[in-house]
Amino acid sequence: MQGKVAIGADHGGFILKGIIARYLAGKGYEVLDYGAHSAEPSDYPDYARAVSDAIRSGRADRGVLICGSGVGASIAANKFPGIRAAVCHDSFSAHQGVEDDDMNVLCLGERIIGQELAKEVVARFLAARFSGAERHVRRLGKVRKIEQEFMKS
Ligand code: RB5
Protein backbone atom coordinates (compact mmCIF):
# COMPACT_ATOMS: atom_id res chain seq x y z
CA MET A 1 0.00 0.00 0.00
CA GLN A 2 1.42 3.33 -1.12
CA GLY A 3 -0.84 5.56 0.98
CA LYS A 4 -4.35 6.96 0.99
CA VAL A 5 -5.30 9.58 -1.58
CA ALA A 6 -8.59 11.49 -1.44
CA ILE A 7 -9.81 12.60 -4.84
CA GLY A 8 -12.67 14.86 -5.87
CA ALA A 9 -13.86 16.82 -8.90
CA ASP A 10 -16.78 18.85 -10.15
CA HIS A 11 -18.24 18.30 -13.63
CA GLY A 12 -15.27 20.21 -15.12
CA GLY A 13 -12.87 17.58 -13.79
CA PHE A 14 -15.05 14.50 -13.80
CA ILE A 15 -13.42 12.60 -16.68
CA LEU A 16 -9.86 13.29 -15.55
CA LYS A 17 -10.80 12.22 -12.00
CA GLY A 18 -11.69 8.75 -13.24
CA ILE A 19 -8.45 8.49 -15.21
CA ILE A 20 -6.32 9.59 -12.24
CA ALA A 21 -8.22 7.38 -9.78
CA ARG A 22 -7.64 4.30 -11.95
CA TYR A 23 -4.00 5.26 -12.49
CA LEU A 24 -3.39 5.58 -8.74
CA ALA A 25 -5.23 2.37 -7.89
CA GLY A 26 -3.01 0.60 -10.44
CA LYS A 27 0.05 2.02 -8.66
CA GLY A 28 -1.11 0.58 -5.33
CA TYR A 29 -2.61 3.68 -3.72
CA GLU A 30 -5.85 3.44 -1.78
CA VAL A 31 -8.08 5.92 -3.56
CA LEU A 32 -10.97 7.53 -1.65
CA ASP A 33 -13.31 8.99 -4.27
CA TYR A 34 -15.47 11.80 -2.90
CA GLY A 35 -17.29 12.43 -6.18
CA ALA A 36 -18.73 13.85 -8.29
CA HIS A 37 -20.15 10.54 -9.43
CA SER A 38 -21.64 11.92 -12.64
CA ALA A 39 -20.89 14.64 -15.16
CA GLU A 40 -23.97 16.65 -14.13
CA PRO A 41 -23.11 20.25 -13.19
CA SER A 42 -21.96 20.45 -9.57
CA ASP A 43 -20.07 22.82 -7.28
CA TYR A 44 -16.31 22.54 -6.73
CA PRO A 45 -16.43 23.79 -3.07
CA ASP A 46 -18.36 20.64 -2.12
CA TYR A 47 -15.50 18.40 -3.29
CA ALA A 48 -12.88 20.73 -1.82
CA ARG A 49 -14.66 20.35 1.52
CA ALA A 50 -14.89 16.56 1.31
CA VAL A 51 -11.25 16.07 0.28
CA SER A 52 -10.02 18.60 2.86
CA ASP A 53 -12.07 16.92 5.61
CA ALA A 54 -10.55 13.57 4.69
CA ILE A 55 -7.03 14.93 5.10
CA ARG A 56 -7.78 16.91 8.27
CA SER A 57 -9.36 13.86 9.91
CA GLY A 58 -6.48 11.57 8.91
CA ARG A 59 -8.60 9.40 6.60
CA ALA A 60 -6.30 10.39 3.72
CA ASP A 61 -2.64 11.35 3.51
CA ARG A 62 -2.92 13.65 0.47
CA GLY A 63 -5.59 14.96 -1.87
CA VAL A 64 -6.14 15.59 -5.55
CA LEU A 65 -8.86 18.03 -6.62
CA ILE A 66 -9.86 18.60 -10.22
CA CYS A 67 -12.11 21.21 -11.75
CA GLY A 68 -12.07 22.95 -15.14
CA SER A 69 -9.00 25.05 -14.41
CA GLY A 70 -7.96 23.87 -10.93
CA VAL A 71 -8.38 27.44 -9.70
CA GLY A 72 -11.77 27.26 -7.99
CA ALA A 73 -10.85 24.01 -6.26
CA SER A 74 -7.60 25.47 -4.92
CA ILE A 75 -9.26 28.66 -3.69
CA ALA A 76 -11.87 26.63 -1.80
CA ALA A 77 -9.43 24.05 -0.40
CA ASN A 78 -7.10 26.70 1.00
CA LYS A 79 -9.92 27.98 3.24
CA PHE A 80 -9.62 24.84 5.38
CA PRO A 81 -7.07 25.09 8.20
CA GLY A 82 -4.11 22.79 7.60
CA ILE A 83 -4.76 22.48 3.88
CA ARG A 84 -2.00 23.67 1.58
CA ALA A 85 -3.35 23.40 -1.96
CA ALA A 86 -1.97 24.61 -5.28
CA VAL A 87 -2.63 24.29 -8.97
CA CYS A 88 0.37 22.58 -10.59
CA HIS A 89 0.45 21.73 -14.26
CA ASP A 90 4.15 20.90 -14.35
CA SER A 91 6.12 18.25 -12.52
CA PHE A 92 8.69 20.65 -10.99
CA SER A 93 6.02 22.58 -9.09
CA ALA A 94 4.32 19.32 -8.11
CA HIS A 95 7.38 17.96 -6.26
CA GLN A 96 8.90 21.23 -5.11
CA GLY A 97 5.53 22.30 -3.71
CA VAL A 98 5.74 19.33 -1.35
CA GLU A 99 9.49 19.51 -0.63
CA ASP A 100 9.50 23.24 0.23
CA ASP A 101 5.89 24.13 1.03
CA ASP A 102 4.48 20.86 2.37
CA MET A 103 1.62 21.02 -0.16
CA ASN A 104 -0.95 18.37 0.72
CA VAL A 105 -3.55 18.94 -2.00
CA LEU A 106 -2.76 19.04 -5.71
CA CYS A 107 -5.27 20.84 -7.93
CA LEU A 108 -5.57 20.16 -11.64
CA GLY A 109 -7.57 21.70 -14.46
CA GLU A 110 -9.04 19.13 -16.83
CA ARG A 111 -9.54 21.84 -19.45
CA ILE A 112 -5.86 22.75 -19.29
CA ILE A 113 -3.68 19.68 -18.81
CA GLY A 114 -3.40 16.53 -20.93
CA GLN A 115 -4.05 13.14 -19.37
CA GLU A 116 -0.48 11.81 -19.56
CA LEU A 117 1.06 14.94 -18.09
CA ALA A 118 -1.60 14.91 -15.37
CA LYS A 119 -0.59 11.36 -14.40
CA GLU A 120 3.08 12.37 -14.26
CA VAL A 121 2.32 15.48 -12.19
CA VAL A 122 0.24 13.45 -9.72
CA ALA A 123 2.97 10.80 -9.45
CA ARG A 124 5.64 13.43 -8.70
CA PHE A 125 3.37 15.08 -6.13
CA LEU A 126 2.71 11.81 -4.29
CA ALA A 127 6.33 10.62 -4.38
CA ALA A 128 7.65 13.89 -2.93
CA ARG A 129 8.31 14.46 0.79
CA PHE A 130 8.66 17.67 2.77
CA SER A 131 12.37 18.43 3.23
CA GLY A 132 12.02 19.62 6.83
CA ALA A 133 14.72 22.24 6.11
CA GLU A 134 14.84 24.93 8.78
CA ARG A 135 13.99 27.79 6.41
CA HIS A 136 10.93 25.96 5.09
CA VAL A 137 9.76 25.03 8.58
CA ARG A 138 10.14 28.71 9.55
CA ARG A 139 8.15 29.92 6.53
CA LEU A 140 5.41 27.38 7.10
CA GLY A 141 5.25 28.49 10.73
CA LYS A 142 4.51 31.99 9.46
CA VAL A 143 1.80 30.66 7.15
CA ARG A 144 0.27 28.79 10.10
CA LYS A 145 0.41 31.98 12.18
CA ILE A 146 -1.55 33.87 9.51
CA GLU A 147 -4.11 31.07 9.45
CA GLN A 148 -4.52 31.10 13.25
CA GLU A 149 -4.69 34.89 13.44
CA PHE A 150 -7.49 35.19 10.89
CA MET A 151 -9.42 32.11 12.02
CA LYS A 152 -10.31 34.13 15.12
CA SER A 153 -12.14 36.89 13.20
C1 RB5 B 1 -17.06 25.02 -13.96
O1 RB5 B 1 -17.58 25.44 -15.16
C2 RB5 B 1 -15.73 25.70 -13.70
O2 RB5 B 1 -15.94 27.02 -13.38
C3 RB5 B 1 -15.01 24.98 -12.60
O3 RB5 B 1 -14.83 23.64 -12.94
C4 RB5 B 1 -13.61 25.48 -12.31
O4 RB5 B 1 -12.86 25.61 -13.47
C5 RB5 B 1 -13.48 26.66 -11.46
O5 RB5 B 1 -12.36 27.15 -11.22
Side-chain angles (χ1 to χ4, degrees), residues 67-141:
C67 64
S69 64
V71 173
S74 68
I75 289 172
N78 279 310
K79 300 298 180 194
F80 295 91
I83 298 301
R84 294 171 297 278
V87 183
C88 299
H89 288 149
D90 68 281
S91 45
F92 178 80
S93 306
H95 70 80
Q96 197 204 245
V98 176
E99 291 156 0
D100 291 9
D101 311 314
D102 206 13
M103 172 171 64
N104 53 12
V105 174
L106 172 72
C107 301
L108 298 170
E110 181 184 305
R111 296 173 185 155
I112 314 294
I113 191 169
Q115 297 173 4
E116 294 309 315
L117 179 56
K119 288 179 194 170
E120 187 176 306
V121 166
V122 171
R124 295 302 299 274
F125 163 64
L126 293 174
R129 295 292 174 266
F130 179 55
S131 69
E134 190 276 333
R135 66 189 185 283
H136 297 310
V137 171
R138 182 182 70 241
R139 291 162 190 160
L140 281 166

Side-chain angles (χ1 to χ4, degrees), residues 29-44:
Y29 289 94
E30 183 179 337
V31 180
L32 308 172
D33 186 344
Y34 288 95
H37 300 295
S38 84
E40 289 302 305
S42 60
D43 301 335
Y44 60 80

Side-chain angles (χ1 to χ4, degrees), residues 15-82:
I15 293 170
L16 185 58
K17 176 170 72 66
I19 290 163
I20 296 298
R22 283 190 292 279
Y23 171 70
L24 292 179
K27 293 268 180 200
Y29 289 94
E30 183 179 337
V31 180
L32 308 172
D33 186 344
Y34 288 95
H37 300 295
S38 84
E40 289 302 305
S42 60
D43 301 335
Y44 60 80
D46 297 337
Y47 310 105
R49 178 188 289 270
V51 166
S52 299
D53 281 350
I55 294 167
R56 284 163 47 77
S57 68
R59 278 175 281 137
D61 305 307
R62 301 249 178 111
V64 176
L65 280 168
I66 311 172
C67 64
S69 64
V71 173
S74 68
I75 289 172
N78 279 310
K79 300 298 180 194
F80 295 91

